[in-house]
Amino acid sequence: MVETVKAKFAEVFGEGDINVYFAPGRVNMIGEHTDYNGGHVFPCALTIGTYAAVRKREDNKLRFYSMNFEDLGVIESDLEDLKPYKEANWTNYPKGVMWAFAGRGMKMDKGLDIVINGNIPNGSGLSSSASLEVLTGFLLRDLYGFDVTNQDLALIGQYSENNFNGMNCGIMDQFASAMGKKDNAIFLDTADLSFEYAPLVLQGAKIIVTNSNVKHSLVDSAYNDRRNESNAALKDLQTVIDINGLGDLSESQFEAHKHVIKSEVSRMRAKHAVYENQRTIRAVEALKQNDIETFGKLMNESHISLRDDYEVSCEEIDVLVDAAWKVDGVIGSRITGGGFGGCTVSIVKDEAVESFKEQVGKVYEEKTGKKADFYVVEIGDGPSKLA
Ligand code: GLA
């Protein structure tokens, strides 16, 4: 990857000094749609992600090229014009991060040339955009000497995505990418950003990500709707109980007060947020006790709740999960990420990996006419400088 992206850089922008950086994508094991509700999440960084070859310029120009969108060619901008434009396409992500740094008083003194190459399948829900944001922050820190921590990189990335790109995401994806640690998942409390690493080295089992290859349109607006519905529930609950987020509630507290939530839909969303948060806490406890079976059962319950109460699954994803549940040797399987397509994550015993791919792939094709892709994933580190 390093050589490929360097060679492309030399071809597009010319030979000379070239710096190469990497930031990972993520998969979330459990704790979905809890990160903007003050709950817990349990994601891990992957060894796949986004690479950049970069060189500072002598003027204020910004020139972007992506090996994933070669037909778009070089997209140009300028440090004086850090605004989102539709035709700027994917470059709105790195530009948003530059804009967010500038807003915090960290202005780039010169522009840059950059070539991007990612190996996260586009639109798969494995956080290619968060990895691009964290990558941009990481390379800006290195090239321009900005004084920020990796946790700041996550917050700046999220801020730029919310305020420059109009997607009201929570902190999970950027945090997982910026703070990732090999062979560990991150147990993060999004209420105060306290976190701990939990080893996720499975004895005799693998983590399999299955890509439905489906990305429904209007994903961002449906996501923002879920946020608003959860917030409406929170507002109603705050009239009777002193809480900052739905993550502050136990299941029994929720059951005792849920009648004050005016809209039925918001009540369902809140139920998911509360129960999913408690499931995540229990899942991490189970993992610490080496009780992977319980972890898997909680993953399955998480899926049902996301499907029925939060309504962020879709037909294709449900086919994948139902098929996975039927395979001998599957410990747990659920939708992962924002939803409405994208990927599932499953824990599968070593000896069942091949039959899993075969059976799930077959059922998926029969029922949907589409092909699924399978990745046996490894948990990797956060961002790094590679050359
Ligand atoms: C997307 C968002 C995250 C999180 C998940 C759902 O990936 O970017 O912040 O809300 O959806 O858990």
PDB file of all heavy atoms in Angstrom, residues 260-283:
ATOM      1  N   VAL A 260     -44.300   8.761  30.100  1.00  0.00           N
ATOM      2  CA  VAL A 260     -44.293  10.217  29.847  1.00  0.00           C
ATOM      3  C   VAL A 260     -43.799  10.556  28.436  1.00  0.00           C
ATOM      4  O   VAL A 260     -43.914  11.695  27.990  1.00  0.00           O
ATOM      5  CB  VAL A 260     -43.447  11.010  30.886  1.00  0.00           C
ATOM      6  CG1 VAL A 260     -43.963  10.765  32.301  1.00  0.00           C
ATOM      7  CG2 VAL A 260     -41.959  10.703  30.757  1.00  0.00           C
ATOM      8  N   ILE A 261     -43.234   9.560  27.753  1.00  0.00           N
ATOM      9  CA  ILE A 261     -42.775   9.823  26.381  1.00  0.00           C
ATOM     10  C   ILE A 261     -44.006   9.871  25.482  1.00  0.00           C
ATOM     11  O   ILE A 261     -44.740   8.889  25.365  1.00  0.00           O
ATOM     12  CB  ILE A 261     -41.787   8.738  25.897  1.00  0.00           C
ATOM     13  CG1 ILE A 261     -40.603   8.648  26.857  1.00  0.00           C
ATOM     14  CG2 ILE A 261     -41.307   9.044  24.476  1.00  0.00           C
ATOM     15  CD1 ILE A 261     -39.666   7.480  26.588  1.00  0.00           C
ATOM     16  N   LYS A 262     -44.198  11.053  24.890  1.00  0.00           N
ATOM     17  CA  LYS A 262     -45.478  11.268  24.204  1.00  0.00           C
ATOM     18  C   LYS A 262     -45.622  10.428  22.941  1.00  0.00           C
ATOM     19  O   LYS A 262     -46.658   9.839  22.697  1.00  0.00           O
ATOM     20  CB  LYS A 262     -45.626  12.750  23.858  1.00  0.00           C
ATOM     21  CG  LYS A 262     -45.794  13.615  25.103  1.00  0.00           C
ATOM     22  CD  LYS A 262     -46.129  15.054  24.720  1.00  0.00           C
ATOM     23  CE  LYS A 262     -45.608  16.028  25.755  1.00  0.00           C
ATOM     24  NZ  LYS A 262     -44.252  16.547  25.451  1.00  0.00           N
ATOM     25  N   SER A 263     -44.580  10.394  22.136  1.00  0.00           N
ATOM     26  CA  SER A 263     -44.767   9.681  20.866  1.00  0.00           C
ATOM     27  C   SER A 263     -44.356   8.217  21.007  1.00  0.00           C
ATOM     28  O   SER A 263     -43.328   7.877  21.625  1.00  0.00           O
ATOM     29  CB  SER A 263     -43.974  10.373  19.754  1.00  0.00           C
ATOM     30  OG  SER A 263     -43.043   9.509  19.186  1.00  0.00           O
ATOM     31  N   GLU A 264     -45.141   7.374  20.427  1.00  0.00           N
ATOM     32  CA  GLU A 264     -44.909   5.923  20.454  1.00  0.00           C
ATOM     33  C   GLU A 264     -43.552   5.586  19.805  1.00  0.00           C
ATOM     34  O   GLU A 264     -42.788   4.765  20.301  1.00  0.00           O
ATOM     35  CB  GLU A 264     -46.068   5.273  19.687  1.00  0.00           C
ATOM     36  CG  GLU A 264     -45.817   3.882  19.192  1.00  0.00           C
ATOM     37  CD  GLU A 264     -46.525   2.857  20.054  1.00  0.00           C
ATOM     38  OE1 GLU A 264     -47.702   3.089  20.343  1.00  0.00           O
ATOM     39  OE2 GLU A 264     -45.889   1.849  20.407  1.00  0.00           O
ATOM     40  N   VAL A 265     -43.278   6.268  18.689  1.00  0.00           N
ATOM     41  CA  VAL A 265     -42.018   6.000  17.979  1.00  0.00           C
ATOM     42  C   VAL A 265     -40.835   6.369  18.873  1.00  0.00           C
ATOM     43  O   VAL A 265     -39.877   5.603  19.021  1.00  0.00           O
ATOM     44  CB  VAL A 265     -41.978   6.791  16.647  1.00  0.00           C
ATOM     45  CG1 VAL A 265     -40.585   6.793  16.042  1.00  0.00           C
ATOM     46  CG2 VAL A 265     -42.977   6.192  15.657  1.00  0.00           C
ATOM     47  N   SER A 266     -40.894   7.536  19.500  1.00  0.00           N
ATOM     48  CA  SER A 266     -39.793   7.952  20.377  1.00  0.00           C
ATOM     49  C   SER A 266     -39.623   6.990  21.554  1.00  0.00           C
ATOM     50  O   SER A 266     -38.512   6.756  22.017  1.00  0.00           O
ATOM     51  CB  SER A 266     -40.037   9.360  20.916  1.00  0.00           C
ATOM     52  OG  SER A 266     -39.806  10.298  19.896  1.00  0.00           O
ATOM     53  N   ARG A 267     -40.738   6.428  22.028  1.00  0.00           N
ATOM     54  CA  ARG A 267     -40.657   5.463  23.129  1.00  0.00           C
ATOM     55  C   ARG A 267     -39.883   4.210  22.688  1.00  0.00           C
ATOM     56  O   ARG A 267     -39.068   3.657  23.422  1.00  0.00           O
ATOM     57  CB  ARG A 267     -42.077   5.089  23.588  1.00  0.00           C
ATOM     58  CG  ARG A 267     -42.141   4.630  25.021  1.00  0.00           C
ATOM     59  CD  ARG A 267     -43.584   4.427  25.491  1.00  0.00           C
ATOM     60  NE  ARG A 267     -44.448   5.550  25.159  1.00  0.00           N
ATOM     61  CZ  ARG A 267     -45.657   5.446  24.597  1.00  0.00           C
ATOM     62  NH1 ARG A 267     -46.146   4.257  24.303  1.00  0.00           N
ATOM     63  NH2 ARG A 267     -46.379   6.518  24.321  1.00  0.00           N
ATOM     64  N   MET A 268     -40.152   3.763  21.460  1.00  0.00           N
ATOM     65  CA  MET A 268     -39.418   2.604  20.936  1.00  0.00           C
ATOM     66  C   MET A 268     -37.924   2.910  20.792  1.00  0.00           C
ATOM     67  O   MET A 268     -37.062   2.101  21.120  1.00  0.00           O
ATOM     68  CB  MET A 268     -39.963   2.215  19.554  1.00  0.00           C
ATOM     69  CG  MET A 268     -41.300   1.492  19.599  1.00  0.00           C
ATOM     70  SD  MET A 268     -42.171   1.642  18.009  1.00  0.00           S
ATOM     71  CE  MET A 268     -41.088   0.726  16.912  1.00  0.00           C
ATOM     72  N   ARG A 269     -37.630   4.110  20.286  1.00  0.00           N
ATOM     73  CA  ARG A 269     -36.211   4.486  20.096  1.00  0.00           C
ATOM     74  C   ARG A 269     -35.499   4.528  21.452  1.00  0.00           C
ATOM     75  O   ARG A 269     -34.380   4.042  21.600  1.00  0.00           O
ATOM     76  CB  ARG A 269     -36.081   5.857  19.424  1.00  0.00           C
ATOM     77  CG  ARG A 269     -36.866   6.022  18.134  1.00  0.00           C
ATOM     78  CD  ARG A 269     -36.456   5.045  17.048  1.00  0.00           C
ATOM     79  NE  ARG A 269     -37.107   5.382  15.797  1.00  0.00           N
ATOM     80  CZ  ARG A 269     -37.907   4.576  15.104  1.00  0.00           C
ATOM     81  NH1 ARG A 269     -38.135   3.338  15.517  1.00  0.00           N
ATOM     82  NH2 ARG A 269     -38.458   4.972  13.975  1.00  0.00           N
ATOM     83  N   ALA A 270     -36.203   5.133  22.432  1.00  0.00           N
ATOM     84  CA  ALA A 270     -35.584   5.264  23.758  1.00  0.00           C
ATOM     85  C   ALA A 270     -35.385   3.892  24.395  1.00  0.00           C
ATOM     86  O   ALA A 270     -34.376   3.633  25.041  1.00  0.00           O
ATOM     87  CB  ALA A 270     -36.449   6.144  24.650  1.00  0.00           C
ATOM     88  N   LYS A 271     -36.355   3.019  24.183  1.00  0.00           N
ATOM     89  CA  LYS A 271     -36.220   1.664  24.746  1.00  0.00           C
ATOM     90  C   LYS A 271     -34.937   1.016  24.213  1.00  0.00           C
ATOM     91  O   LYS A 271     -34.148   0.460  24.974  1.00  0.00           O
ATOM     92  CB  LYS A 271     -37.436   0.811  24.375  1.00  0.00           C
ATOM     93  CG  LYS A 271     -37.318  -0.592  24.902  1.00  0.00           C
ATOM     94  CD  LYS A 271     -38.521  -1.456  24.584  1.00  0.00           C
ATOM     95  CE  LYS A 271     -38.240  -2.873  25.063  1.00  0.00           C
ATOM     96  NZ  LYS A 271     -38.997  -3.865  24.305  1.00  0.00           N
ATOM     97  N   HIS A 272     -34.758   1.114  22.914  1.00  0.00           N
ATOM     98  CA  HIS A 272     -33.528   0.548  22.347  1.00  0.00           C
ATOM     99  C   HIS A 272     -32.291   1.168  23.001  1.00  0.00           C
ATOM    100  O   HIS A 272     -31.385   0.461  23.430  1.00  0.00           O
ATOM    101  CB  HIS A 272     -33.450   0.743  20.832  1.00  0.00           C
ATOM    102  CG  HIS A 272     -32.058   0.472  20.330  1.00  0.00           C
ATOM    103  ND1 HIS A 272     -31.568  -0.810  20.165  1.00  0.00           N
ATOM    104  CD2 HIS A 272     -31.018   1.317  20.059  1.00  0.00           C
ATOM    105  CE1 HIS A 272     -30.301  -0.740  19.791  1.00  0.00           C
ATOM    106  NE2 HIS A 272     -29.950   0.533  19.725  1.00  0.00           N
ATOM    107  N   ALA A 273     -32.269   2.503  23.068  1.00  0.00           N
ATOM    108  CA  ALA A 273     -31.058   3.179  23.571  1.00  0.00           C
ATOM    109  C   ALA A 273     -30.736   2.738  24.997  1.00  0.00           C
ATOM    110  O   ALA A 273     -29.574   2.473  25.323  1.00  0.00           O
ATOM    111  CB  ALA A 273     -31.240   4.700  23.495  1.00  0.00           C
ATOM    112  N   VAL A 274     -31.768   2.632  25.831  1.00  0.00           N
ATOM    113  CA  VAL A 274     -31.563   2.247  27.236  1.00  0.00           C
ATOM    114  C   VAL A 274     -31.115   0.784  27.337  1.00  0.00           C
ATOM    115  O   VAL A 274     -30.105   0.462  27.966  1.00  0.00           O
ATOM    116  CB  VAL A 274     -32.865   2.470  28.045  1.00  0.00           C
ATOM    117  CG1 VAL A 274     -32.742   1.860  29.435  1.00  0.00           C
ATOM    118  CG2 VAL A 274     -33.186   3.960  28.134  1.00  0.00           C
ATOM    119  N   TYR A 275     -31.854  -0.106  26.696  1.00  0.00           N
ATOM    120  CA  TYR A 275     -31.536  -1.541  26.799  1.00  0.00           C
ATOM    121  C   TYR A 275     -30.198  -1.860  26.119  1.00  0.00           C
ATOM    122  O   TYR A 275     -29.435  -2.700  26.587  1.00  0.00           O
ATOM    123  CB  TYR A 275     -32.668  -2.391  26.201  1.00  0.00           C
ATOM    124  CG  TYR A 275     -33.847  -2.575  27.134  1.00  0.00           C
ATOM    125  CD1 TYR A 275     -34.687  -1.507  27.450  1.00  0.00           C
ATOM    126  CD2 TYR A 275     -34.130  -3.805  27.714  1.00  0.00           C
ATOM    127  CE1 TYR A 275     -35.773  -1.665  28.309  1.00  0.00           C
ATOM    128  CE2 TYR A 275     -35.211  -3.981  28.572  1.00  0.00           C
ATOM    129  CZ  TYR A 275     -36.038  -2.905  28.865  1.00  0.00           C
ATOM    130  OH  TYR A 275     -37.102  -3.065  29.723  1.00  0.00           O
ATOM    131  N   GLU A 276     -29.925  -1.203  25.004  1.00  0.00           N
ATOM    132  CA  GLU A 276     -28.672  -1.474  24.280  1.00  0.00           C
ATOM    133  C   GLU A 276     -27.470  -1.054  25.129  1.00  0.00           C
ATOM    134  O   GLU A 276     -26.440  -1.732  25.146  1.00  0.00           O
ATOM    135  CB  GLU A 276     -28.670  -0.729  22.938  1.00  0.00           C
ATOM    136  CG  GLU A 276     -27.407  -0.898  22.097  1.00  0.00           C
ATOM    137  CD  GLU A 276     -27.312  -2.239  21.370  1.00  0.00           C
ATOM    138  OE1 GLU A 276     -28.169  -3.129  21.599  1.00  0.00           O
ATOM    139  OE2 GLU A 276     -26.362  -2.401  20.580  1.00  0.00           O
ATOM    140  N   ASN A 277     -27.625   0.056  25.823  1.00  0.00           N
ATOM    141  CA  ASN A 277     -26.534   0.499  26.682  1.00  0.00           C
ATOM    142  C   ASN A 277     -26.267  -0.528  27.778  1.00  0.00           C
ATOM    143  O   ASN A 277     -25.123  -0.897  28.038  1.00  0.00           O
ATOM    144  CB  ASN A 277     -26.889   1.863  27.281  1.00  0.00           C
ATOM    145  CG  ASN A 277     -25.802   2.379  28.176  1.00  0.00           C
ATOM    146  OD1 ASN A 277     -24.619   2.321  27.829  1.00  0.00           O
ATOM    147  ND2 ASN A 277     -26.171   2.860  29.346  1.00  0.00           N
ATOM    148  N   GLN A 278     -27.329  -1.002  28.412  1.00  0.00           N
ATOM    149  CA  GLN A 278     -27.160  -1.994  29.483  1.00  0.00           C
ATOM    150  C   GLN A 278     -26.602  -3.306  28.928  1.00  0.00           C
ATOM    151  O   GLN A 278     -25.777  -3.961  29.555  1.00  0.00           O
ATOM    152  CB  GLN A 278     -28.500  -2.245  30.206  1.00  0.00           C
ATOM    153  CG  GLN A 278     -29.059  -1.003  30.904  1.00  0.00           C
ATOM    154  CD  GLN A 278     -28.114  -0.436  31.972  1.00  0.00           C
ATOM    155  OE1 GLN A 278     -27.371  -1.180  32.614  1.00  0.00           O
ATOM    156  NE2 GLN A 278     -28.131   0.881  32.154  1.00  0.00           N
ATOM    157  N   ARG A 279     -27.034  -3.668  27.720  1.00  0.00           N
ATOM    158  CA  ARG A 279     -26.507  -4.881  27.075  1.00  0.00           C
ATOM    159  C   ARG A 279     -25.006  -4.759  26.845  1.00  0.00           C
ATOM    160  O   ARG A 279     -24.259  -5.715  26.987  1.00  0.00           O
ATOM    161  CB  ARG A 279     -27.166  -5.042  25.693  1.00  0.00           C
ATOM    162  CG  ARG A 279     -28.267  -6.038  25.625  1.00  0.00           C
ATOM    163  CD  ARG A 279     -28.626  -6.362  24.186  1.00  0.00           C
ATOM    164  NE  ARG A 279     -29.163  -5.239  23.439  1.00  0.00           N
ATOM    165  CZ  ARG A 279     -30.434  -4.864  23.456  1.00  0.00           C
ATOM    166  NH1 ARG A 279     -31.322  -5.512  24.172  1.00  0.00           N
ATOM    167  NH2 ARG A 279     -30.844  -3.832  22.743  1.00  0.00           N
ATOM    168  N   THR A 280     -24.588  -3.562  26.450  1.00  0.00           N
ATOM    169  CA  THR A 280     -23.172  -3.350  26.138  1.00  0.00           C
ATOM    170  C   THR A 280     -22.331  -3.505  27.400  1.00  0.00           C
ATOM    171  O   THR A 280     -21.278  -4.158  27.388  1.00  0.00           O
ATOM    172  CB  THR A 280     -22.993  -1.955  25.513  1.00  0.00           C
ATOM    173  OG1 THR A 280     -23.869  -1.862  24.395  1.00  0.00           O
ATOM    174  CG2 THR A 280     -21.565  -1.713  25.066  1.00  0.00           C
ATOM    175  N   ILE A 281     -22.828  -2.935  28.499  1.00  0.00           N
ATOM    176  CA  ILE A 281     -22.112  -3.062  29.776  1.00  0.00           C
ATOM    177  C   ILE A 281     -22.021  -4.543  30.170  1.00  0.00           C
ATOM    178  O   ILE A 281     -20.959  -5.039  30.544  1.00  0.00           O
ATOM    179  CB  ILE A 281     -22.839  -2.234  30.870  1.00  0.00           C
ATOM    180  CG1 ILE A 281     -22.793  -0.740  30.501  1.00  0.00           C
ATOM    181  CG2 ILE A 281     -22.240  -2.490  32.246  1.00  0.00           C
ATOM    182  CD1 ILE A 281     -23.694   0.153  31.349  1.00  0.00           C
ATOM    183  N   ARG A 282     -23.141  -5.250  30.011  1.00  0.00           N
ATOM    184  CA  ARG A 282     -23.142  -6.675  30.373  1.00  0.00           C
ATOM    185  C   ARG A 282     -22.240  -7.493  29.438  1.00  0.00           C
ATOM    186  O   ARG A 282     -21.573  -8.435  29.866  1.00  0.00           O
ATOM    187  CB  ARG A 282     -24.563  -7.239  30.309  1.00  0.00           C
ATOM    188  CG  ARG A 282     -25.451  -6.779  31.459  1.00  0.00           C
ATOM    189  CD  ARG A 282     -26.500  -7.834  31.805  1.00  0.00           C
ATOM    190  NE  ARG A 282     -27.388  -8.120  30.702  1.00  0.00           N
ATOM    191  CZ  ARG A 282     -28.424  -7.349  30.349  1.00  0.00           C
ATOM    192  NH1 ARG A 282     -28.692  -6.255  31.020  1.00  0.00           N
ATOM    193  NH2 ARG A 282     -29.189  -7.671  29.333  1.00  0.00           N
ATOM    194  N   ALA A 283     -22.233  -7.118  28.170  1.00  0.00           N
ATOM    195  CA  ALA A 283     -21.424  -7.864  27.196  1.00  0.00           C
ATOM    196  C   ALA A 283     -19.941  -7.752  27.535  1.00  0.00           C
ATOM    197  O   ALA A 283     -19.194  -8.732  27.459  1.00  0.00           O
ATOM    198  CB  ALA A 283     -21.693  -7.348  25.780  1.00  0.00           C
TER     199      ALA A 283
END
